[in-house]
Amino acid sequence: MHGAQSKRDLAMELQAQLPILRPSIHTRRANLTVKFQDLYGFTVEGNVDDVNVLNEVREKVRQQGRVWWALEASKGANWYLQPQVSSLSEGIVLKSSLKISALANAMTLKKLIRKGIPPVLRPKVWFSLSGAAKKKSTVPESYYNDLTKAVEGKVTPATRQIDHDLPRTFPGHPWLDTPQGHAALRRVLVGYSFRDSDVGYCQGLNYVAALLLLVMKTEEDAFWMLAVLLENVLVNDCYTNNLSGCHVEQRVFKDLLSKKCPRIAAHLEALEFDVSLVTTKWFLCLFAKSLPSETTLRVWDVLFYEGAKVLFHAALAIFKMKEEDVLLAHQVGDVINIIQRTTHHLFNPDELLTVAFNKIGFMTTNTISKQRKKQEPEVMKELDERLRRLNSLREDDR
């Protein structure tokens, strides 16, 4: 009797352990880490499901490419730059037709861009729609070459910091992490540091410029994309010495989080969690260091067409996607782990952008501009106080 009981207990114990001894196929696949190279040469670590997601995304990209090519064939190579007029009357363009056509083109283009620009067309479309082509056209054709030659060999605090950061910019990348890659990235960053001495160089720009180089193919085009980004697309003073613009963006984001995701905001406040612990890097590097490259570039597709409000949409979406997990977190470290795990495995850009534009709610550039103006005085006051404290400490040290 005792022996039978022991055998039954043993059998029950073994049965209880079965899920551990014989995990499901899905569990084994989820735990199997594989390395693979993405479209832009980055080595990515993920599980088998991540690889499958990435393959599905690439198939969608190919399908989307066929849509773009069809439009190019029917409307012309640069159809997105000029309104298409369908009605002519005795050679005179009807204004109403022009407006309707321009509106139709704009709506078509907005939808297309949110679905993704095919990688092969990305350099051309970005350069045109962002304003980089227009900016380049206002200076002599030799501007970039003349600039890089003029600053060659000059040493400034900016060039020293750039030289320090080059080896740390996407280490291991097959082109960026080579002497040729470092040299190209250095010329772009140093050139811009002399073009705009107020910005000079700020850590974070190395990741942005590196990704621009991979997409745009040429240094000069990457330089002009960086210029239009810093001078027209993003908020002023984001990359100046005191990062005042970035501090303003963080405050605006906190306000938006309270309005768009009130449960998350309240829970994080209860945990005394400062969202800028994770979001500062997002806004300074434009997600280049946080999201997989192909997802980052899908965000940039929309950024260069719709403006900096897109960064808020994407940042809010990351929190919204993991709302239930975040609400169950009881430690600051747990929240950071949830967010970092999410961004690391966000191989499906459609998942992010669907939440960003369909579940976050409507936001206009004008609304965000008003929020910035509201936050600026308080940020400047805090930065001035911080500067006074630093100066006071320096005087005490003397």
Side-chain angles (χ1 to χ4, degrees):
M1 188 75 177
H2 180 73
Q5 180 71 37
S6 296
K7 284 179 184 177
R8 190 160 59 246
D9 290 346
L10 182 62
M12 288 175 70
E13 187 178 331
L14 285 170
Q15 194 173 4
Q17 289 181 16
L18 275 177
I20 300 166
L21 297 173
R22 295 178 59 191
S24 68
I25 292 171
H26 180 77
T27 304
R28 290 203 299 272
R29 286 173 60 191
N31 291 332
L32 180 65
T33 300
V34 291
K35 288 187 178 182
F36 50 94
Q37 202 171 72
D38 70 11
L39 196 62
Y40 289 91
F42 293 98
T43 299
V44 182
E45 277 193 10
N47 57 43
V48 177
D49 290 335
D50 292 330
V51 177
N52 290 337
V53 167
L54 203 56
N55 286 334
E56 287 171 14
V57 167
R58 286 179 178 173
E59 180 53 38
K60 283 185 182 176
V61 168
R62 280 190 284 271
Q63 291 170 9
Q64 190 66 5
R66 287 193 278 271
V67 175
W68 279 82
W69 290 122
L71 281 165
E72 293 237 327
S74 64
K75 293 189 173 188
N78 297 316
W79 68 271
Y80 45 83
L81 293 181
Q82 49 208 347
Q84 301 298 307
V85 182
S86 56
S87 298
L88 295 172
S89 177
E90 296 179 358
I92 299 171
V93 176
L94 298 176
K95 286 186 180 179
S96 59
S97 297
L98 182 63
K99 286 178 183 175
I100 291 167
S101 182
L103 182 62
N105 259 8
M107 288 173 67
T108 300
L109 187 57
K110 187 175 182 178
K111 285 180 183 176
L112 273 177
I113 287 174
R114 286 188 178 186
K115 286 183 178 179
I117 302 169
V120 71
L121 287 175
R122 199 167 260 151
K124 183 179 79 161
V125 177
W126 278 11
F127 206 67
S128 302
L129 293 180
S130 66
K134 186 178 180 182
K135 190 176 282 288
K136 182 184 175 183
S137 71
T138 62
V139 297
E141 202 170 313
S142 60
Y143 178 94
Y144 179 70
N145 285 333
D146 293 343
L147 176 64
T148 51
K149 284 176 185 172
V151 304
E152 196 173 347
K154 292 193 175 181
V155 178
T156 66
T159 65
R160 283 193 288 269
Q161 187 61 54
I162 289 166
D163 288 334
H164 181 68
D165 286 347
L166 287 175
R168 303 191 298 179
T169 308
F170 299 125
H173 188 275
W175 181 74
L176 287 170
D177 196 13
T178 64
Q180 295 83 1
H182 287 173
L185 181 56
R186 187 183 193 279
R187 282 190 291 270
V188 170
L189 291 170
V190 170
Y192 193 80
S193 76
F194 280 90
R195 173 181 167 87
D196 187 344
S197 56
D198 288 338
V199 170
Y201 170 73
C202 172
Q203 285 176 300
L205 288 179
N206 50 324
Y207 295 101
V208 175
L211 214 44
L212 287 172
L213 270 171
L214 291 179
V215 174
M216 302 307 295
K217 308 300 184 193
T218 73
E219 281 180 44
E220 188 170 4
D221 285 356
F223 171 85
W224 286 112
M225 287 301 299
L226 185 65
V228 82
L229 191 59
L230 299 182
E231 295 164 19
N232 301 93
V233 178
L234 301 178
V235 67
N236 290 335
D237 301 327
C238 233
Y239 295 94
T240 48
N241 284 336
N242 62 3
L243 298 178
S244 60
C246 186
H247 288 297
V248 170
E249 298 294 78
Q250 296 309 304
R251 281 176 165 266
V252 172
F253 178 75
K254 287 173 189 175
D255 279 354
L256 290 170
L257 189 67
S258 296
K259 288 171 186 169
K260 303 290 185 181
C261 308
R263 293 169 70 213
I264 295 175
H267 184 66
L268 294 181
E269 191 175 346
L271 291 178
E272 297 184 349
F273 178 78
D274 184 354
V275 290
S276 63
L277 285 170
V278 292
T279 57
T280 299
K281 184 168 71 173
W282 295 352
F283 280 83
L284 280 177
C285 300
L286 310 182
F287 298 102
K289 211 180 166 194
S290 304
L291 294 173
S293 69
E294 294 178 58
T295 304
T296 299
L297 297 178
R298 282 286 300 280
V299 174
W300 288 16
D301 284 345
V302 194
L303 172 70
F304 285 123
Y305 186 58
E306 296 187 37
K309 68 169 187 172
V310 171
L311 300 177
F312 293 102
H313 276 280
L316 288 166
I318 291 167
F319 278 94
K320 185 69 176 173
M321 288 166 70
K322 289 295 171 182
E323 181 166 8
E324 298 309 319
D325 289 347
V326 169
L327 292 176
L328 291 172
H330 298 295
Q331 303 288 337
V332 167
D334 294 337
V335 177
I336 292 173
N337 287 337
I338 290 165
I339 298 301
Q340 287 182 342
R341 232 178 8 251
T342 302
T343 53
H344 180 78
H345 290 279
L346 240 173
F347 293 105
N348 186 350
D350 290 327
E351 187 183 358
L352 174 67
L353 294 176
T354 298
V355 176
F357 294 113
N358 296 348
K359 295 186 180 178
I360 292 302
F362 191 62
M363 285 191 288
T364 66
T365 300
N366 191 39
T367 303
I368 291 171
S369 295
K370 285 178 182 175
Q371 286 283 85
R372 285 174 181 143
K373 284 178 183 174
K374 177 184 164 187
Q375 296 294 348
E376 274 171 13
E378 193 61 34
V379 167
M380 296 313 296
K381 183 182 172 185
E382 281 185 12
L383 291 173
D384 286 343
E385 285 175 4
R386 189 185 300 176
L387 187 60
R388 276 197 296 274
R389 284 198 300 271
L390 281 171
N391 289 336
S392 177
L393 287 168
R394 283 171 188 156
E395 286 174 12
D396 290 345
D397 288 342
R398 288 175 192 167

